[in-house]
Amino acid sequence: MGPTPGVTLNRRGFLVLASSGLLLGVAGTGAGRGLSSPAAPDGLVQRFLSIDWEGTVTVFAKHLDMGQGIWSGLASIVAEELDADWSRVRVVGAPARVADYAHNAFREQTTGGSTSTANSWDELRRAGATARAMLVRAAAQAWQVPEALVRTRNGRLIAPGHAAGYGDFAAAAGRLPVPVDVPLKSRADWRLLGIGAEALPRTDTGAKTRGATVYGIDGTWPDMRHAVIARCPRIGGRLRGYDGTAARAMPGVDMVVEVPSGVAVIARTTWHAIRAREALRIDWDMRSAETRSDSAIAADFARAMEEGAPAYADTRGDPDTAFARAHRVVEARFRFPYLAHAPMEPPCISGRMVGGVCEVRAGFQSQTRNQQAIADILGLPLDRVLLDTVPAGGSFGRRASFDSDWVAEFAHVLKASRWRWPIKLTRTREDDVTGGYYRPLMIHAMRAGLDRKGRLIAFDQRMAGQSVTPNAPDVPNWRDWTVLEGVFHELYACPASRLRWWKTPARVPVLTYRSISNNHTGIAKEIFVDRLARAAGADPVAYRLALLEHEPRQAAVLRLAAEKAGWSDPPPPGVTRAVAVHRSEGSFIAQVAQLSGTAQDFRIERMVTAIDCGLALNPDTVRAQVEGGTGFGLSAGLYGRVTLDGGAAQDANFDTYRVLRMNEMPRVMETHFIDGADRPSGVGEPGSVPGTAAVVNALERMGLPPVESFPVFAPMPDQA
């Protein structure tokens, strides 16, 4: 259906009608939304928060919320130290200002690696405590009582004979000098954070339920135009020339312009732009394009391991001698395919030029790089590019591209339009899945030597694949953590082991993907160690525990998961159990999968998780991330694959790029915590790794032939 004159029903309104049959309200478009930290008139304004005269607390989040609930989590840290009324707390994206909002480890404003909570923990606690101290001082001065007699509770100031809300003293507090080294609360005094605290509703639940949350794909400005780009169907191809005559003549089309990545159509609606794009006649230059299939690329990667020298090698002990005296040698090969991030909201961005200032709205994951890319393309000073960071409908790493590809494309289209209109650039799901960026294709070859008692005495692992690190340092034997994090060599004890990686070239653009390299290294590791346990005739939990003597926190979550799953008792008839454990992003997680049926027709009856994520600030959010991560990992491991034919992606949407269905999720999911640390670690990514390995281990125990290529249920032809 095309747009109908006089009908202004938007995407969200359509969904409301389609799902309920009754349009109960109209969501705002987001027009006029501020593009910098909202001021609090007559209130208290600091770097990470403001309090207005009504007592509303606004937290400025320097990290992006991509659906994982991080904005609520960050706000809860502030609210705890501030003693705020949670019902009066809201969150907005902080402006792009690296001096104020840089990631403390990456030194730029960005989100990734499940580091947001850990990275913001100290500074947000100090921000909340400092604001609370200023409110107390302002009230004490006004009431003429000692500060020690002023207490705070749930957004209120209380002293003998006095009581007031935070809003009553926000302005006065804002005029006071900012104190330093304010004491923080002891954990015993927390009421919002940690296990045992009341469950906090997420700050975005109401708006999402009402359909009021503004994403990058939403919102508009007056007289806005919509753009899409025609890109080369073969990855890496470039534009040689085009004929846009037919497209320009189509209704609703304003411009057809060349941009570095292809040809952009600018039209009255996205529908008009997509239809006109189909009418373009384009001549592509394929000289720089990838022309191989993914199977051919995998074969080349495997050949490199046999013929060339590795880019990285690490040897511990004497593995050659250990293999020579091994009683038994177990080998395995794994091939992991290219994967698309496929977030529910594909990259989408809108913006305009007003008075020499470029205002841009999107779910920005790397604000510093994104702002710089726009400034460079438009020739603007950095402070004249204002980013409005709104929540994103998923990312899994896609929005964090090092070259800001989707943001740079917008800047080129806006520049080509000669600033005539505000522009919204949309990537359809097909655009994003077929155009890169991808999780790298990786080959693993693993070998282990066992003694007569089945104990591990030698280990060797070879890997081949692309790095996602741009401009990697040209130093000998540089350890690329984006490729090697989570390997067997690092996490299991072995007296003699060797790890090697062949850095293999391909023109396929690759990018960090949820859990970085753990999404292949951790899965290969846990499937292989399960096979070693079977070869040794050992219990898989006990076998792992013997290899985790130097990893006490991994061992602890493994024991807890086994205990909660009833591992010591036989499973019910017709049920198979299997386990996996891993460490990533500073957290430790073990999962026990319980399957019924057969290897070809099975059901995941139960998934028991034990997690040590340091200090579990918001247990409900952790559970949600574990459950969602499990589903995400199972989607990739069981069904996910981007197929290339002649350098062109053959999968474009969820009809062929298969994701887990609701009825395929575990029937029962349990999450149990080990909570003893004094600060939080990551939870967004760790939950996406071990569940996949546990399910594969169960399937192999049920008779599935040893898995060599992923996805499990879409066998790859011409396997390397």
Side-chain angles (χ1 to χ4, degrees), residues 110-147:
T110 190
T111 305
S114 292
T115 59
S116 297
T117 302
N119 173 72
S120 299
W121 171 242
D122 292 322
E123 58 193 8
L124 292 185
R125 291 189 74 190
R126 287 194 297 269
T130 300
R132 177 179 172 275
M134 295 171 73
L135 290 166
V136 167
R137 179 163 296 177
Q141 290 178 356
W143 293 338
Q144 297 184 346
V145 299
E147 290 182 30

Side-chain angles (χ1 to χ4, degrees), residues 183-220:
L184 304 177
K185 279 186 179 182
S186 68
R187 186 168 180 176
D189 295 328
W190 290 353
R191 62 185 181 87
L192 301 179
L193 299 181
I195 294 174
E198 59 184 272
L200 291 180
R202 281 173 46 162
T203 56
D204 56 359
T205 300
K208 287 183 175 179
T209 303
R210 297 191 305 273
T213 299
V214 175
Y215 294 91
I217 206 168
D218 296 319
T220 187

Side-chain angles (χ1 to χ4, degrees), residues 101 103 112 119 176 189 297 302 330 378 439 444 466 514 535 588 610 634 656 660 702:
Y101 301 112
H103 190 291
N119 173 72
L176 294 174
D189 295 328
I297 292 172
V330 179
L378 301 185
R439 195 279 302 273
H444 292 251
Q466 294 165 258
R514 191 174 190 173
F588 307 80
L634 289 173
T656 56
L660 204 69
M702 295 163 71

Side-chain angles (χ1 to χ4, degrees), residues 302-321:
R303 191 176 304 112
M305 291 196 302
E306 307 300 331
E307 300 174 355
Y312 175 84
D314 181 34
T315 301
R316 301 171 186 178
D318 186 353
D320 293 332
T321 299

